[in-house]
Amino acid sequence: MTTVVVTHEVGDMDTWLGGGEDRKTMFADFCSNYRIFRHTDGNKVSIVAENVDLAKMKALLSTPEAAAAEAKHTVINPIEVYIEVDGGK
């Protein structure tokens, strides 16, 4: 399990922020905890997820439910995913 940073833009920040309960439910399937950071420039957010099961995350993100949540919460692709490098290797 590892720490992952997910970054993407949103069409409407208030709509996206209002989807917190949906995110909490979805993310519970693949991580133990997450924090959200709003960028100071534009409508971009970063989510730092901890203790991520990468296989479960990948499987969830490819479901119709995830696509519906992205549309509902105005997520703009691409969604960039950064995986922590352990020990610089």
Coordinates of all heavy atoms in Angstrom, one line a residue:
M1 N 0.9 -1.2 0.0 CA 0.0 0.0 0.0 C 0.9 1.2 0.0 O 2.0 1.2 0.6 CB -0.9 0.0 1.2 CG -1.7 -1.3 1.3 SD -3.4 -0.9 1.2 CE -4.1 -2.4 1.7
T2 N 0.4 2.3 -0.6 CA 1.2 3.5 -0.8 C 0.4 4.7 -0.7 O -0.8 4.7 -0.6 CB 2.0 3.4 -2.2 OG1 2.9 4.4 -2.3 CG2 1.0 3.4 -3.3
T3 N 1.1 5.9 -0.8 CA 0.4 7.2 -0.9 C 0.3 7.6 -2.3 O 1.3 7.4 -3.1 CB 1.2 8.2 -0.1 OG1 1.3 7.8 1.3 CG2 0.6 9.6 -0.1
V4 N -0.8 8.1 -2.7 CA -1.1 8.5 -4.1 C -1.6 10.0 -4.1 O -2.4 10.3 -3.2 CB -2.1 7.6 -4.7 CG1 -2.5 8.1 -6.1 CG2 -1.6 6.2 -4.8
V5 N -1.2 10.8 -5.1 CA -1.7 12.1 -5.3 C -2.5 12.1 -6.6 O -1.9 11.7 -7.6 CB -0.6 13.2 -5.3 CG1 -1.2 14.5 -5.6 CG2 0.2 13.1 -4.0
V6 N -3.7 12.5 -6.5 CA -4.5 12.6 -7.7 C -4.9 14.1 -8.0 O -5.3 14.8 -7.0 CB -5.9 11.9 -7.5 CG1 -6.8 12.0 -8.7 CG2 -5.6 10.4 -7.2
T7 N -4.6 14.6 -9.2 CA -4.9 16.0 -9.5 C -5.7 16.1 -10.7 O -5.6 15.3 -11.7 CB -3.5 16.7 -9.8 OG1 -2.7 16.6 -8.6 CG2 -3.7 18.2 -10.1
H8 N -6.7 17.0 -10.7 CA -7.5 17.3 -11.9 C -8.2 18.6 -11.7 O -8.3 19.2 -10.6 CB -8.6 16.2 -12.1 CG -9.5 16.0 -10.9 ND1 -10.6 16.8 -10.7 CD2 -9.6 15.1 -10.0 CE1 -11.3 16.4 -9.7 NE2 -10.7 15.3 -9.2
E9 N -8.8 19.1 -12.8 CA -9.6 20.3 -12.8 C -11.0 20.0 -12.6 O -11.4 18.8 -12.9 CB -9.4 21.1 -14.1 CG -8.0 21.7 -14.2 CD -7.9 22.7 -15.4 OE1 -8.7 23.6 -15.4 OE2 -7.0 22.5 -16.2
V10 N -11.8 21.0 -12.2 CA -13.3 20.8 -12.1 C -13.9 21.9 -12.8 O -13.4 23.0 -12.8 CB -13.7 20.7 -10.6 CG1 -13.1 19.5 -9.9 CG2 -13.4 22.0 -9.8
G11 N -15.1 21.7 -13.3 CA -15.9 22.7 -14.0 C -16.5 23.7 -13.0 O -16.6 24.9 -13.3
D12 N -17.0 23.2 -11.9 CA -17.6 24.1 -10.9 C -17.1 23.6 -9.5 O -17.5 22.5 -9.0 CB -19.1 24.0 -11.0 CG -19.8 24.9 -10.0 OD1 -20.0 24.5 -8.8 OD2 -20.1 26.1 -10.4
M13 N -16.3 24.5 -8.8 CA -15.7 24.1 -7.5 C -16.8 23.8 -6.5 O -16.7 22.9 -5.7 CB -14.8 25.2 -7.1 CG -14.0 24.8 -5.8 SD -12.9 23.4 -6.0 CE -11.6 24.0 -7.1
D14 N -17.9 24.6 -6.4 CA -18.9 24.4 -5.4 C -19.6 23.0 -5.6 O -19.8 22.3 -4.6 CB -19.9 25.5 -5.4 CG -19.4 26.8 -4.9 OD1 -18.4 26.8 -4.1 OD2 -19.9 27.9 -5.3
T15 N -19.8 22.7 -6.8 CA -20.4 21.4 -7.1 C -19.5 20.3 -6.7 O -19.9 19.3 -6.1 CB -20.8 21.3 -8.6 OG1 -21.7 22.3 -9.0 CG2 -21.4 19.9 -9.0
W16 N -18.2 20.4 -7.1 CA -17.3 19.4 -6.7 C -17.1 19.2 -5.2 O -17.1 18.1 -4.7 CB -15.9 19.7 -7.4 CG -15.0 18.5 -7.2 CD1 -14.9 17.4 -8.0 CD2 -14.0 18.3 -6.2 NE1 -13.9 16.6 -7.6 CE2 -13.4 17.1 -6.4 CE3 -13.6 19.1 -5.1 CZ2 -12.4 16.6 -5.6 CZ3 -12.6 18.6 -4.2 CH2 -12.0 17.4 -4.5
L17 N -17.0 20.4 -4.5 CA -16.8 20.3 -3.1 C -18.1 19.7 -2.4 O -18.0 19.0 -1.4 CB -16.5 21.7 -2.5 CG -15.2 22.2 -2.8 CD1 -15.1 23.7 -2.4 CD2 -14.1 21.4 -2.2
G18 N -19.2 19.9 -3.0 CA -20.5 19.3 -2.5 C -20.6 17.8 -2.6 O -21.4 17.2 -2.0
G19 N -19.7 17.2 -3.4 CA -19.7 15.8 -3.6 C -18.8 15.0 -2.5 O -18.5 13.9 -2.8
G20 N -18.6 15.6 -1.4 CA -17.7 15.0 -0.4 C -18.2 13.7 0.1 O -17.4 12.7 0.3
E21 N -19.5 13.5 0.3 CA -20.0 12.2 0.8 C -19.8 11.1 -0.3 O -19.5 10.0 0.1 CB -21.5 12.3 1.2 CG -21.6 13.1 2.5 CD -20.9 12.4 3.7 OE1 -21.0 11.2 3.9 OE2 -20.2 13.1 4.4
D22 N -20.0 11.5 -1.5 CA -19.8 10.5 -2.6 C -18.4 10.0 -2.6 O -18.1 8.9 -2.8 CB -20.2 11.1 -4.0 CG -21.7 11.3 -4.1 OD1 -22.5 10.7 -3.3 OD2 -22.1 12.0 -5.0
R23 N -17.4 11.0 -2.5 CA -16.0 10.7 -2.5 C -15.7 9.8 -1.3 O -14.9 8.8 -1.5 CB -15.2 12.0 -2.5 CG -14.8 12.5 -3.8 CD -13.8 13.6 -3.7 NE -14.4 14.8 -3.0 CZ -15.2 15.6 -3.5 NH1 -15.7 15.5 -4.7 NH2 -15.7 16.6 -2.8
K24 N -16.2 10.2 -0.2 CA -15.9 9.4 1.0 C -16.3 7.9 0.8 O -15.6 7.0 1.2 CB -16.7 10.0 2.2 CG -16.4 9.3 3.5 CD -17.2 10.1 4.6 CE -17.0 9.4 6.0 NZ -17.7 10.1 7.0
T25 N -17.5 7.7 0.3 CA -17.9 6.3 0.0 C -17.1 5.6 -1.0 O -16.7 4.5 -0.8 CB -19.4 6.4 -0.5 OG1 -20.2 7.0 0.5 CG2 -19.9 5.0 -0.7
M26 N -16.8 6.3 -2.1 CA -16.0 5.6 -3.2 C -14.6 5.4 -2.7 O -14.0 4.3 -2.9 CB -15.9 6.5 -4.4 CG -17.2 6.5 -5.3 SD -17.0 7.5 -6.7 CE -15.7 6.7 -7.6
F27 N -13.9 6.3 -2.1 CA -12.5 6.2 -1.7 C -12.3 5.2 -0.6 O -11.3 4.6 -0.4 CB -12.0 7.5 -1.3 CG -11.7 8.5 -2.4 CD1 -12.3 8.4 -3.6 CD2 -10.9 9.6 -2.2 CE1 -12.1 9.3 -4.7 CE2 -10.7 10.5 -3.3 CZ -11.3 10.3 -4.5
A28 N -13.4 4.9 0.2 CA -13.3 4.0 1.3 C -12.9 2.6 0.8 O -12.4 1.7 1.5 CB -14.5 3.9 2.1
D29 N -13.3 2.3 -0.5 CA -13.0 1.0 -1.1 C -11.5 0.8 -1.4 O -11.1 -0.4 -1.5 CB -13.8 0.8 -2.4 CG -15.3 0.7 -2.1 OD1 -15.7 0.3 -1.0 OD2 -16.0 0.9 -3.1
F30 N -10.7 1.8 -1.5 CA -9.3 1.6 -1.8 C -8.3 2.4 -1.0 O -7.1 2.2 -1.2 CB -9.1 1.9 -3.3 CG -9.3 3.3 -3.7 CD1 -8.3 4.3 -3.5 CD2 -10.5 3.7 -4.3 CE1 -8.5 5.6 -3.9 CE2 -10.7 5.0 -4.7 CZ -9.7 6.0 -4.5
C31 N -8.7 3.2 -0.1 CA -7.7 3.9 0.8 C -8.2 4.1 2.2 O -9.4 4.0 2.4 CB -7.3 5.3 0.2 SG -8.5 6.6 0.3
S32 N -7.3 4.3 3.1 CA -7.7 4.5 4.5 C -8.0 5.9 4.9 O -8.8 6.1 5.8 CB -6.5 4.0 5.4 OG -5.4 4.9 5.3
N33 N -7.5 6.9 4.2 CA -7.7 8.3 4.5 C -7.3 9.1 3.3 O -6.4 8.7 2.5 CB -6.8 8.7 5.7 CG -7.1 10.1 6.2 OD1 -8.2 10.5 6.2 ND2 -6.0 10.7 6.6
Y34 N -7.8 10.3 3.2 CA -7.4 11.2 2.1 C -7.6 12.7 2.6 O -8.4 13.0 3.5 CB -8.2 11.0 0.8 CG -9.6 11.2 0.9 CD1 -10.2 12.5 0.5 CD2 -10.5 10.2 1.3 CE1 -11.5 12.7 0.6 CE2 -11.9 10.4 1.3 CZ -12.4 11.7 1.0 OH -13.7 11.9 1.1
R35 N -6.8 13.6 1.9 CA -6.9 15.0 2.2 C -7.1 15.7 0.9 O -6.5 15.2 -0.1 CB -5.7 15.5 2.9 CG -5.6 14.9 4.3 CD -4.3 15.4 5.1 NE -3.2 15.6 4.3 CZ -2.1 14.8 4.2 NH1 -2.1 13.7 4.9 NH2 -1.1 15.1 3.5
I36 N -7.8 16.8 0.8 CA -8.0 17.5 -0.4 C -7.4 18.9 -0.3 O -7.5 19.6 0.7 CB -9.6 17.7 -0.6 CG1 -10.2 16.4 -0.8 CG2 -9.8 18.6 -1.8 CD1 -11.7 16.4 -0.9
F37 N -6.7 19.2 -1.4 CA -6.1 20.5 -1.5 C -6.6 21.3 -2.7 O -6.6 20.7 -3.8 CB -4.5 20.4 -1.6 CG -3.9 19.7 -0.4 CD1 -3.9 18.3 -0.3 CD2 -3.3 20.5 0.6 CE1 -3.3 17.8 0.8 CE2 -2.8 19.9 1.7 CZ -2.7 18.5 1.8
R38 N -7.0 22.5 -2.5 CA -7.5 23.3 -3.6 C -6.3 24.2 -4.1 O -5.7 24.9 -3.3 CB -8.6 24.2 -3.1 CG -9.2 25.1 -4.2 CD -10.4 25.8 -3.7 NE -11.0 26.7 -4.7 CZ -12.0 27.4 -4.6 NH1 -12.7 27.4 -3.4 NH2 -12.5 28.2 -5.6
H39 N -6.0 24.2 -5.3 CA -5.0 25.0 -5.9 C -5.4 26.5 -5.8 O -6.5 26.8 -5.9 CB -4.7 24.6 -7.3 CG -4.1 23.2 -7.4 ND1 -3.0 22.9 -8.2 CD2 -4.5 22.0 -6.9 CE1 -2.7 21.6 -8.1 NE2 -3.6 21.1 -7.4
T40 N -4.4 27.3 -5.7 CA -4.7 28.8 -5.6 C -5.0 29.4 -6.9 O -5.4 30.5 -7.0 CB -3.5 29.5 -4.9 OG1 -2.3 29.3 -5.7 CG2 -3.3 29.0 -3.5
D41 N -4.7 28.7 -8.0 CA -4.8 29.2 -9.3 C -5.8 28.4 -10.1 O -5.5 27.2 -10.4 CB -3.5 29.2 -10.0 CG -3.5 30.0 -11.4 OD1 -4.4 30.8 -11.5 OD2 -2.7 29.7 -12.2
G42 N -7.0 28.9 -10.4 CA -8.0 28.1 -11.1 C -8.8 27.2 -10.3 O -8.8 27.2 -9.1
N43 N -9.5 26.3 -11.1 CA -10.3 25.3 -10.5 C -9.7 23.9 -10.5 O -10.2 22.9 -11.0 CB -11.7 25.2 -11.2 CG -12.6 26.3 -10.8 OD1 -12.4 27.0 -9.8 ND2 -13.7 26.4 -11.6
K44 N -8.5 23.8 -9.8 CA -7.8 22.6 -9.8 C -7.7 22.1 -8.4 O -7.5 22.9 -7.4 CB -6.4 22.8 -10.4 CG -5.7 21.5 -10.8 CD -4.4 21.8 -11.6 CE -4.0 20.6 -12.4 NZ -2.8 20.9 -13.2
V45 N -7.8 20.7 -8.2 CA -7.7 20.1 -6.9 C -6.7 19.0 -6.9 O -6.4 18.4 -7.9 CB -9.0 19.6 -6.4 CG1 -10.0 20.7 -6.1 CG2 -9.6 18.6 -7.3
S46 N -6.1 18.7 -5.7 CA -5.3 17.6 -5.5 C -5.8 16.8 -4.3 O -6.2 17.4 -3.3 CB -3.8 18.0 -5.3 OG -3.2 18.5 -6.5
I47 N -5.8 15.5 -4.5 CA -6.2 14.6 -3.4 C -5.0 13.8 -3.0 O -4.5 13.1 -3.9 CB -7.4 13.8 -3.8 CG1 -8.6 14.7 -4.3 CG2 -7.9 12.8 -2.7 CD1 -9.6 13.9 -5.0
V48 N -4.7 13.8 -1.7 CA -3.6 12.9 -1.3 C -4.3 11.8 -0.5 O -4.9 12.0 0.5 CB -2.6 13.7 -0.3 CG1 -1.6 12.7 0.2 CG2 -2.0 14.9 -1.0
A49 N -4.2 10.6 -1.1 CA -4.8 9.4 -0.5 C -3.7 8.5 0.1 O -2.6 8.3 -0.5 CB -5.5 8.6 -1.6
E50 N -4.0 8.0 1.3 CA -3.0 7.2 2.0 C -3.4 5.7 2.1 O -4.6 5.4 2.1 CB -2.8 7.8 3.4 CG -2.3 9.2 3.4 CD -2.3 9.9 4.7 OE1 -2.9 9.3 5.7 OE2 -1.7 11.0 4.8
N51 N -2.4 4.9 2.2 CA -2.6 3.4 2.3 C -3.5 2.9 1.1 O -4.5 2.2 1.4 CB -3.2 3.0 3.6 CG -2.3 3.4 4.8 OD1 -1.1 3.1 4.7 ND2 -2.8 4.1 5.8
V52 N -3.2 3.3 -0.1 CA -3.9 3.0 -1.3 C -3.7 1.6 -1.7 O -2.5 1.2 -1.9 CB -3.7 4.0 -2.4 CG1 -4.4 3.6 -3.7 CG2 -4.1 5.4 -1.9
D53 N -4.7 0.8 -2.0 CA -4.6 -0.4 -2.7 C -4.7 -0.1 -4.2 O -5.8 0.2 -4.7 CB -5.7 -1.4 -2.2 CG -5.7 -2.8 -2.9 OD1 -5.4 -2.8 -4.1 OD2 -5.9 -3.7 -2.2
L54 N -3.6 -0.1 -4.9 CA -3.6 0.4 -6.3 C -4.5 -0.5 -7.2 O -5.1 0.1 -8.1 CB -2.2 0.4 -6.8 CG -1.3 1.4 -6.1 CD1 0.2 1.3 -6.6 CD2 -1.7 2.8 -6.4
A55 N -4.5 -1.8 -7.0 CA -5.4 -2.6 -7.8 C -6.9 -2.2 -7.6 O -7.6 -2.1 -8.6 CB -5.1 -4.1 -7.5
K56 N -7.3 -2.0 -6.4 CA -8.7 -1.7 -6.2 C -9.0 -0.3 -6.7 O -10.0 0.0 -7.2 CB -9.0 -1.7 -4.7 CG -9.1 -3.1 -4.1 CD -9.5 -3.1 -2.6 CE -9.6 -4.4 -2.1 NZ -10.0 -4.4 -0.6
M57 N -8.0 0.7 -6.6 CA -8.2 2.0 -7.1 C -8.4 2.0 -8.6 O -9.3 2.6 -9.2 CB -7.0 2.9 -6.7 CG -7.1 4.3 -7.3 SD -5.7 5.3 -6.8 CE -5.8 6.6 -7.9
K58 N -7.5 1.2 -9.3 CA -7.6 1.1 -10.7 C -8.9 0.5 -11.2 O -9.6 1.0 -12.1 CB -6.4 0.3 -11.3 CG -6.3 0.2 -12.8 CD -5.1 -0.5 -13.2 CE -5.1 -0.6 -14.7 NZ -3.9 -1.3 -15.2
A59 N -9.3 -0.6 -10.5 CA -10.6 -1.2 -10.8 C -11.8 -0.3 -10.7 O -12.6 -0.2 -11.5 CB -10.7 -2.5 -10.0
L60 N -11.8 0.5 -9.6 CA -12.9 1.4 -9.3 C -13.0 2.5 -10.3 O -14.0 2.8 -10.8 CB -12.8 2.0 -7.9 CG -13.9 3.0 -7.5 CD1 -15.2 2.3 -7.4 CD2 -13.5 3.8 -6.3
L61 N -11.8 3.1 -10.7 CA -11.8 4.2 -11.6 C -12.2 3.8 -13.0 O -12.6 4.7 -13.8 CB -10.4 4.9 -11.6 CG -10.0 5.5 -10.3 CD1 -8.6 6.1 -10.4 CD2 -11.0 6.6 -9.9
S62 N -12.3 2.6 -13.3 CA -12.7 2.2 -14.6 C -14.2 1.7 -14.7 O -14.6 1.2 -15.7 CB -11.8 1.0 -15.2 OG -11.9 -0.1 -14.3
T63 N -14.9 2.0 -13.6 CA -16.3 1.5 -13.6 C -17.3 2.6 -14.1 O -16.9 3.8 -14.1 CB -16.8 1.2 -12.1 OG1 -16.7 2.4 -11.3 CG2 -15.9 0.1 -11.5
P64 N -18.5 2.2 -14.5 CA -19.5 3.2 -14.9 C -19.9 4.1 -13.8 O -20.2 5.3 -14.0 CB -20.7 2.4 -15.4 CG -20.1 1.0 -15.7 CD -18.9 0.9 -14.8
E65 N -19.8 3.6 -12.5 CA -20.1 4.4 -11.4 C -19.1 5.6 -11.2 O -19.5 6.7 -10.8 CB -20.2 3.6 -10.1 CG -21.3 2.6 -10.1 CD -21.0 1.3 -10.8 OE1 -19.9 1.0 -11.2 OE2 -22.0 0.5 -11.1
A66 N -17.9 5.3 -11.4 CA -16.9 6.3 -11.3 C -17.1 7.4 -12.4 O -16.9 8.6 -12.2 CB -15.5 5.7 -11.4
A67 N -17.4 6.9 -13.6 CA -17.6 7.9 -14.7 C -18.8 8.8 -14.4 O -18.8 10.0 -14.7 CB -17.9 7.1 -16.0
A68 N -19.9 8.2 -13.8 CA -21.1 8.9 -13.5 C -20.7 10.0 -12.4 O -21.2 11.1 -12.4 CB -22.2 8.0 -13.0
A69 N -19.9 9.6 -11.4 CA -19.5 10.5 -10.4 C -18.6 11.6 -10.9 O -18.8 12.8 -10.5 CB -18.7 9.8 -9.3
E70 N -17.8 11.4 -11.9 CA -17.0 12.4 -12.5 C -17.9 13.4 -13.2 O -17.7 14.6 -13.0 CB -16.0 11.8 -13.5 CG -14.9 11.0 -12.9 CD -14.0 10.3 -13.9 OE1 -14.0 10.8 -15.1 OE2 -13.3 9.4 -13.6
A71 N -18.9 12.9 -13.9 CA -19.8 13.8 -14.6 C -20.6 14.6 -13.6 O -20.8 15.9 -13.8 CB -20.7 13.0 -15.5
K72 N -21.1 14.0 -12.6 CA -22.0 14.7 -11.6 C -21.2 15.8 -10.9 O -21.8 16.8 -10.6 CB -22.4 13.6 -10.6 CG -23.3 14.2 -9.5 CD -23.7 13.1 -8.5 CE -24.5 13.6 -7.3 NZ -24.9 12.5 -6.4
H73 N -19.9 15.5 -10.6 CA -19.1 16.5 -9.8 C -18.2 17.3 -10.7 O -17.3 18.0 -10.2 CB -18.4 15.7 -8.7 CG -19.3 15.0 -7.8 ND1 -20.2 15.6 -7.0 CD2 -19.4 13.7 -7.6 CE1 -20.9 14.7 -6.3 NE2 -20.4 13.5 -6.7
T74 N -18.5 17.4 -12.0 CA -17.8 18.3 -12.9 C -16.3 18.1 -13.0 O -15.6 19.0 -13.3 CB -18.1 19.8 -12.7 OG1 -17.5 20.2 -11.5 CG2 -19.6 20.0 -12.6
V75 N -15.8 16.8 -12.9 CA -14.4 16.6 -13.0 C -14.0 16.7 -14.5 O -14.7 16.3 -15.4 CB -14.1 15.1 -12.6 CG1 -12.7 14.7 -12.9 CG2 -14.3 15.0 -11.1
I76 N -12.9 17.4 -14.7 CA -12.4 17.6 -16.1 C -11.1 16.8 -16.2 O -10.2 16.8 -15.5 CB -12.1 19.1 -16.3 CG1 -13.4 19.9 -16.2 CG2 -11.4 19.3 -17.7 CD1 -13.1 21.4 -16.3
N77 N -11.2 15.9 -17.3 CA -10.0 15.1 -17.6 C -8.9 15.9 -18.2 O -9.2 16.9 -18.9 CB -10.4 13.9 -18.5 CG -11.2 12.9 -17.7 OD1 -10.8 12.5 -16.6 ND2 -12.3 12.4 -18.3
P78 N -7.6 15.6 -18.1 CA -7.2 14.3 -17.6 C -7.1 14.3 -16.1 O -6.9 15.4 -15.5 CB -5.8 14.2 -18.2 CG -5.3 15.6 -18.3 CD -6.5 16.4 -18.7
I79 N -7.2 13.2 -15.5 CA -7.0 13.0 -14.1 C -5.5 12.5 -14.0 O -5.2 11.4 -14.6 CB -8.0 12.0 -13.5 CG1 -9.4 12.5 -13.6 CG2 -7.6 11.7 -12.0 CD1 -10.5 11.5 -13.2
E80 N -4.7 13.2 -13.3 CA -3.3 12.8 -13.2 C -3.1 12.1 -11.9 O -3.6 12.5 -10.8 CB -2.4 14.0 -13.2 CG -2.5 14.8 -14.6 CD -1.7 16.1 -14.5 OE1 -1.4 16.6 -13.5 OE2 -1.4 16.6 -15.6
V81 N -2.4 11.0 -11.9 CA -2.2 10.1 -10.7 C -0.7 10.0 -10.5 O 0.1 9.6 -11.4 CB -2.8 8.7 -10.9 CG1 -2.5 7.9 -9.7 CG2 -4.3 8.8 -11.1
Y82 N -0.2 10.4 -9.3 CA 1.2 10.3 -8.9 C 1.3 9.3 -7.8 O 0.6 9.4 -6.8 CB 1.7 11.7 -8.4 CG 1.5 12.8 -9.5 CD1 0.3 13.5 -9.5 CD2 2.5 13.1 -10.4 CE1 0.1 14.5 -10.5 CE2 2.3 14.0 -11.3 CZ 1.2 14.8 -11.4 OH 1.0 15.7 -12.3
I83 N 2.2 8.4 -8.0 CA 2.4 7.3 -7.0 C 3.7 7.5 -6.3 O 4.8 7.8 -6.9 CB 2.5 5.9 -7.7 CG1 1.1 5.7 -8.4 CG2 2.7 4.8 -6.7 CD1 1.1 4.5 -9.3
E84 N 3.7 7.4 -5.0 CA 4.9 7.7 -4.1 C 6.0 6.7 -4.5 O 5.7 5.5 -4.7 CB 4.5 7.5 -2.7 CG 5.6 7.7 -1.7 CD 5.2 7.6 -0.3 OE1 4.2 6.8 0.0 OE2 5.8 8.2 0.6
V85 N 7.2 7.2 -4.6 CA 8.4 6.4 -4.8 C 9.0 6.1 -3.5 O 9.4 7.0 -2.7 CB 9.4 7.1 -5.7 CG1 10.6 6.3 -5.9 CG2 8.7 7.5 -7.1
D86 N 9.1 4.8 -3.1 CA 9.6 4.4 -1.9 C 11.1 4.3 -1.9 O 11.7 3.6 -2.7 CB 9.0 3.0 -1.5 CG 9.4 2.6 -0.1 OD1 9.7 3.4 0.8 OD2 9.4 1.4 0.1
G87 N 11.8 5.1 -1.1 CA 13.2 5.1 -1.0 C 13.9 5.6 -2.3 O 15.1 5.3 -2.5
G88 N 13.2 6.3 -3.1 CA 13.9 6.9 -4.3 C 14.1 5.9 -5.4 O 14.9 6.2 -6.4
K89 N 13.5 4.8 -5.4 CA 13.7 3.7 -6.4 C 12.4 3.5 -7.2 O 11.4 3.6 -6.8 CB 14.1 2.4 -5.7 CG 15.4 2.5 -5.0 CD 15.7 1.2 -4.3 CE 17.0 1.4 -3.5 NZ 17.4 0.2 -2.8

